[in-house]
Amino acid sequence: MTHIVGELVESLAAGRVRIVDLTRPLSPQTPIINLPPQFAQPPRFAIETMSRYDPRGPTSYSNAIHVWEHTGTHFDAPIHWVTGKDLPANACDTIPAHKFIGPACVIDVTAQAAKDPDFLLMPEHILEWETRYGRIPTQSWVLLRTGWSKREGAAFLNEDATGAHSPGPHVSASRLLAHERDVLGIGVETVGTDAGQARSLDPPFPNHATMHGAGKFGLASLCNLDQLPPTGSIVVAAPLKIVAGSGSPVRVLGLVAV
Ligand code: MN
């Protein structure tokens, strides 16, 4: 096989391309964002066994699941935010499928997020990254590596009396990526693509407002970003084809040349 798809198959078989699973386990223990108290609170993931090789189904095992679209490692479609509600092809079932595969640019701000849980990514961090690794290509994922996926239990949401404290993009960084780089979207290790304190920012949830208003996507609760190089990997993130869906849990895979 000499064509590009054949080369990929051969490279996977030979271990020259490695698959990095960027997905966290999905279970009733999966953390859910706590929204401002005046808003509807989403349910936790629930799973009910229909049969397990027993009288309910002697030859089969299956579960029924009840899941909020924005649970665990998940995809945000533009229709998720009011700014993107009238855009064309803005939902899980109408986004062109080729947009579910793209190159990844990984920006490592682990050190900054360790010092300041409310760290905000600024344009200067993006521009500094570009001086080292080159301009962020159009239609690429920008993955914000914060080390947050290594946090366990309550330290993941990191809430106190003043709300959640977790890193995210400043509105000016989101605008740069959406409007001047034309990215697919931003992917993060935290529970959502905005910082923990984003409800108090202007506009509230600035990354959601900016990215989805520009027809861009989001990926939340990623892990293993430390196994991706700054450039050169490819991310596959295809949400369930939920009709008019605002998002979906997703198995996110990184393809890395070894
Ligand atoms: Mn979401």
Side-chain angles (χ1 to χ4, degrees):
M1 288 193 282
T2 54
H3 59 82
I4 191 76
V5 174
E7 284 178 15
L8 176 60
V9 170
E10 288 174 359
S11 295
L12 285 164
R16 292 192 300 271
V17 172
R18 193 162 70 93
I19 303 292
V20 180
D21 192 346
L22 306 177
T23 319
R24 291 168 67 100
L26 183 58
S27 80
Q29 285 72 49
T30 296
I32 299 268
I33 195 171
N34 288 311
L35 295 175
Q38 66 271 30
F39 298 156
Q41 298 303 316
R44 297 183 84 85
F45 179 83
I47 184 164
E48 179 189 3
T49 299
M50 296 290 98
S51 70
R52 192 153 190 168
Y53 331 116
D54 55 25
R56 297 174 295 177
T59 60
S60 65
Y61 167 52
S62 71
N63 304 301
I65 59 173
H66 184 228
V67 60
W68 184 44
E69 289 170 334
H70 301 268
T71 301
T73 303
H74 72 272
F75 181 96
D76 285 349
I79 199 175
H80 178 40
W81 219 249
V82 66
T83 49
K85 74 182 179 65
D86 296 322
L87 295 176
N90 61 354
C92 286
D93 60 322
T94 55
I95 295 166
H98 71 266
K99 296 205 168 199
F100 300 144
I101 302 179
C105 299
V106 182
I107 301 181
D108 182 7
V109 293
T110 306
Q112 293 95 320
K115 277 193 215 121
D116 175 14
D118 294 312
F119 171 77
L120 295 179
L121 181 79
M122 302 298 295
E124 65 222 47
H125 300 115
I126 297 169
L127 298 174
E128 194 272 335
W129 184 95
E130 287 186 331
T131 64
R132 300 172 68 182
Y133 302 111
R135 187 179 170 95
I136 292 170
T138 61
Q139 299 296 290
S140 59
W141 279 107
V142 171
L143 305 181
L144 191 58
R145 178 182 160 195
T146 56
W148 219 257
S149 60
K150 303 201 188 295
R151 287 178 167 240
E152 306 274 355
F156 181 70
L157 293 180
N158 201 34
E159 292 176 316
D160 64 16
T162 60
H165 297 276
S166 55
H170 187 269
V171 67
S172 56
S174 301
R175 286 177 180 152
L176 167 64
L177 294 172
H179 300 136
E180 295 175 43
R181 295 297 181 273
D182 189 26
V183 298
L184 285 173
I186 293 181
V188 300
E189 295 183 50
T190 46
V191 74
T193 63
D194 263 297
Q197 289 288 297
R199 69 195 64 179
S200 314
L201 298 176
D202 181 24
F205 302 99
N207 185 67
H208 282 76
T210 303
M211 282 286 161
H212 300 324
K216 310 305 186 189
F217 315 137
L219 288 173
S221 292
L222 298 172
C223 61
N224 293 328
L225 294 185
D226 54 351
Q227 296 182 36
L228 298 185
T231 62
S233 69
I234 290 172
V235 163
V236 181
L240 295 176
K241 203 165 184 172
I242 301 169
V243 174
S246 75
S248 153
V250 64
R251 191 74 178 249
V252 184
L253 304 178
L255 279 67
V256 182
V258 174

